[in-house]
Amino acid sequence: MRAWTGPAILTFGFRPFFFGAAVWAALAMALWVPMLSGHLTLPTAFDPVSWHAHEFLFGYLGAVVAGFLLTAVPNWTGRLPIVGWWLGMLAGLWLAGRVAVAFSGSLPPLLVAMIDLAFPVVFALAIGREIVAGKNWRNLIVVGLLGAFIVGNTLFHWEAARGNYAAQGYGLRLGLGAGVMMIAVIGGRVVPSFTRNWLVKQRSAALPVSPMQTFDKAALVALLVAVVLWVALPIAAATGFALLLAGVLHVIRLSRWAGHKTHAEPLVAVLHAGYAFVPLGALALAAEILWPGTFGMAGAQHLWMAGATGLMTLAVMTRATLGHTGRALTAGAGTVMIYVTLTMSVLARVVAGMWPEISGSMHLMAGLFWITAFGGFAVIYGALLLRLPTAK
């Protein structure tokens, strides 16, 4: 570990970015609820829905991805982690992006885009350098997905600057598609691995199949094809059938990981629940394309937007924080509470899309559950993230 004697929050990438992501997720939703009802207006150039979509996808998810990769890549490459003021600079760039987008109404669109894109570009270059220097070639796919995520953010800014409804544009779909593929690729490694480790300790006879077998690769290719079609042709019948196939294959993929044996430890079970939203989102989008009115497009999309990216990232943040701060890998009552409330938030949002007559109350309920989940994470895990463990 690289020597660092400054603030504890800058000792490892997961600390500033997991804490910042959780606080921002709760705060942005607390702002969005009154914006949705017309009681609050932000000085942003984005329309309210586009601001909401941008900040949860590129703001929140971008921070969690940074926290995860800054922590994982040193393990993958054997190289020293990025810590100290360099880490603080990255966190500062991310924060500057949130401020610039929030106050973009009084700034030139190009300047807003440059400030917001500075963080993901610098971060992707840093991660790419570490992976190449460590000759960790199999994880170059992660750099490629980061590149797609950055292009999606760039397109989002371009569409918003043109006055388009960016919340339903190419940029959002490309960014979300890249995020879902990251979950499918990285989750396909860590979910069966962590499950196997826990089941071995329980002396279980049922263990997950080894990750990244031929079937897993086929399922990933099918999902990639479906995502590319969805980005380019979001309502085409071919896209619907591709999403249907990808959803079925990933249901089968998930079933091979022995998730039904993990109910006794929510810290493990939630990984399976989070990954389940990948095929559920694909199937819901397929249903909405092929049989319009089934879920509502926004409701179906939120199974990916809030379900897959929300619950899987929360699962990763809790587990990584416990593991890297020397705590036991088990979920307490508070952790279970934030898992449950986030799941209820996603379900409420889907119901809002299916039954417009009760969408107002469902949106409010989804927002309150979301704030409880991420505010709860910030409260429960904040002390672990902001200070170093006390020496025994």
Side-chain angles (χ1 to χ4, degrees):
M1 178 129 182
R2 199 185 302 270
W4 171 248
T5 58
I9 196 171
L10 299 180
T11 56
F12 233 122
F14 73 93
R15 291 180 181 273
F17 283 107
F18 286 0
F19 185 73
V23 170
W24 182 237
L27 177 59
M29 185 61 77
L31 294 171
W32 166 242
V33 171
M35 287 173 68
L36 184 63
S37 62
H39 290 90
L40 176 67
T41 301
L42 284 183
T44 177
F46 291 9
D47 66 84
V49 177
S50 294
W51 176 83
H52 166 75
H54 182 274
E55 289 309 290
F56 284 112
L57 178 59
F58 299 109
Y60 165 76
L61 183 59
V64 178
V65 169
F68 174 80
L69 290 179
L70 286 168
T71 307
V73 167
N75 291 332
W76 297 348
T77 63
R79 290 172 56 81
L80 293 172
I82 297 172
V83 302
W85 298 124
W86 286 110
L87 177 58
M89 178 200 69
L90 286 173
L93 288 175
W94 174 79
L95 183 59
R98 312 287 58 78
V99 174
V101 171
F103 290 90
S104 56
S106 57
L107 297 171
L110 180 59
L111 177 61
V112 174
M114 290 175 63
I115 294 173
D116 186 40
L117 291 167
F119 162 69
V121 169
V122 172
F123 168 68
L125 290 173
I127 290 298
R129 180 200 64 185
E130 293 301 305
I131 288 177
V132 171
K135 299 181 179 180
N136 186 240
W137 307 122
R138 76 169 187 146
N139 283 310
L140 279 176
I141 187 175
V142 175
V143 179
L145 291 173
L146 283 176
F149 194 68
I150 292 168
V151 173
N153 196 358
T154 304
L155 284 174
F156 194 106
H157 278 279
W158 180 72
E159 290 168 330
R162 286 170 53 89
N164 297 344
Y165 187 44
Q168 290 184 356
Y170 290 101
L172 180 126
R173 291 196 299 276
L174 179 57
L176 179 55
V180 169
M181 288 304 304
M182 285 187 214
I183 292 170
V185 171
I186 299 174
R189 300 173 188 170
V190 302
V191 176
S193 175
F194 291 159
T195 302
R196 175 179 290 274
N197 292 344
W198 186 78
L199 288 175
V200 166
K201 291 180 180 179
Q202 308 307 308
R203 299 182 180 178
S204 172
L207 297 175
V209 298
S210 299
M212 297 310 294
Q213 295 184 357
T214 301
F215 178 82
D216 298 274
K217 295 175 182 178
L220 287 173
V221 171
L223 181 61
L224 178 61
V225 170
V227 165
V228 170
L229 285 172
W230 179 65
V231 171
L233 305 166
I235 59 174
T239 300
F241 286 115
L243 286 165
L244 184 62
L245 174 61
V248 170
L249 290 177
H250 281 265
V251 167
I252 297 171
R253 187 188 193 202
L254 179 60
S255 72
R256 289 152 51 92
W257 295 341
H260 62 289
K261 294 288 187 178
T262 65
H263 59 86
E265 180 45 69
L267 199 70
V268 180
V270 72
L271 293 168
H272 295 261
Y275 193 93
F277 280 110
V278 172
L280 287 175
L283 293 172
L285 284 168
E288 184 59 30
I289 293 168
L290 299 173
W291 302 282
T294 307
F295 291 96
M297 192 60 75
Q301 186 172 296
H302 271 76
L303 284 168
W304 273 355
M305 189 83 156
T309 63
L311 189 57
M312 181 57 85
T313 54
L314 192 62
V316 168
M317 288 196 298
T318 51
R319 183 184 183 91
T321 301
L322 290 172
H324 287 281
T325 56
R327 269 60 180 187
L329 291 176
T330 187
T335 300
V336 173
M337 179 273 293
I338 64 177
Y339 294 159
V340 171
T341 52
L342 183 60
T343 304
M344 293 173 69
S345 173
V346 176
L347 296 179
R349 182 59 187 84
V350 173
V351 169
M354 296 174 67
W355 289 286
E357 62 273 16
I358 59 171
S359 63
S361 59
M362 288 296 101
H363 279 123
L364 176 61
M365 187 176 297
L368 293 176
F369 280 135
W370 182 277
I371 293 168
T372 301
F374 286 100
F377 175 88
V379 171
I380 296 169
Y381 288 85
L384 300 181
L385 294 168
L386 296 175
R387 68 169 183 257
L388 292 173
T390 302
K392 295 183 179 179

